[in-house]
Amino acid sequence: MQDIYEALKSRIPNGHVKEQDSLNDVAETNTGEDDKKLTTWYKGRTLDEWALTSPKYTDSETGISWYVIDGKQPYITGEDAEKFWKMCKETGEFPVKKFAEMTGMIQYLDDNTVAYVGDNGTVIKSKDGKELEIDTSSMTYDMIMDMFKNLPKSRNYFDSSY
């Protein structure tokens, strides 16, 4: 995520991202208080404003909370974002991967099988080459997470009838 941001920032005068139409109504602006302090906007509101009405979830392992915007997209704000970045720096974990694991967007179903959840679908892949693609574009975050909580007892993750 930071690499993507740095690449975008290098193409913008003064290094400040003002508008990003290519990121679906997401924009970041410098607050002027501190060059490192950015405010992220989505559909004309800051993420802090969205957090007032978005569902909140907390990771039991780390205690870090995140929200889900538009029923689909997890995001993190404030002190939890700072704790998250500090934790990743200390552990050496890649922040995007860790956030995806923490929010359930990457799920390790067993030693052989991993599910990757996107906003347009979910892919389940095994180390032995099996793959199942599921169109989950019309499902909310809660519906997708519930689907994983209630996987078939047979552990056949590639049964498309599920």
Side-chain angles (χ1 to χ4, degrees), residues 83-129:
K83 286 193 296 188
F84 176 75
W85 285 105
K86 183 179 177 185
M87 177 189 71
C88 288
K89 189 173 185 174
E90 289 171 356
T91 63
E93 293 180 89
F94 182 55
V96 174
K97 181 176 182 258
K98 179 62 179 174
F99 189 67
E101 291 169 344
M102 195 171 77
T103 60
M105 305 311 271
I106 295 176
Q107 295 201 14
Y108 301 96
L109 303 177
D110 60 30
D111 291 339
N112 187 47
T113 313
V114 180
Y116 302 92
V117 179
D119 61 359
N120 61 346
T122 299
V123 175
I124 300 173
K125 291 186 172 197
S126 69
K127 291 179 184 174
D128 61 6

Side-chain angles (χ1 to χ4, degrees), residues 38-101:
L38 292 175
T39 300
T40 302
W41 298 77
Y42 177 78
K43 294 185 177 179
R45 294 170 53 194
T46 67
L47 290 185
D48 288 328
E49 290 176 274
W50 280 102
L52 298 173
T53 58
S54 295
K56 181 178 179 179
Y57 303 86
T58 302
D59 180 58
S60 58
E61 183 182 320
T62 63
I64 295 174
S65 296
W66 72 91
Y67 303 87
V68 176
I69 200 166
D70 287 346
K72 288 238 173 238
Q73 303 157 342
Y75 66 96
I76 192 169
T77 64
E79 288 180 25
D80 282 317
E82 291 174 22
K83 286 193 296 188
F84 176 75
W85 285 105
K86 183 179 177 185
M87 177 189 71
C88 288
K89 189 173 185 174
E90 289 171 356
T91 63
E93 293 180 89
F94 182 55
V96 174
K97 181 176 182 258
K98 179 62 179 174
F99 189 67
E101 291 169 344

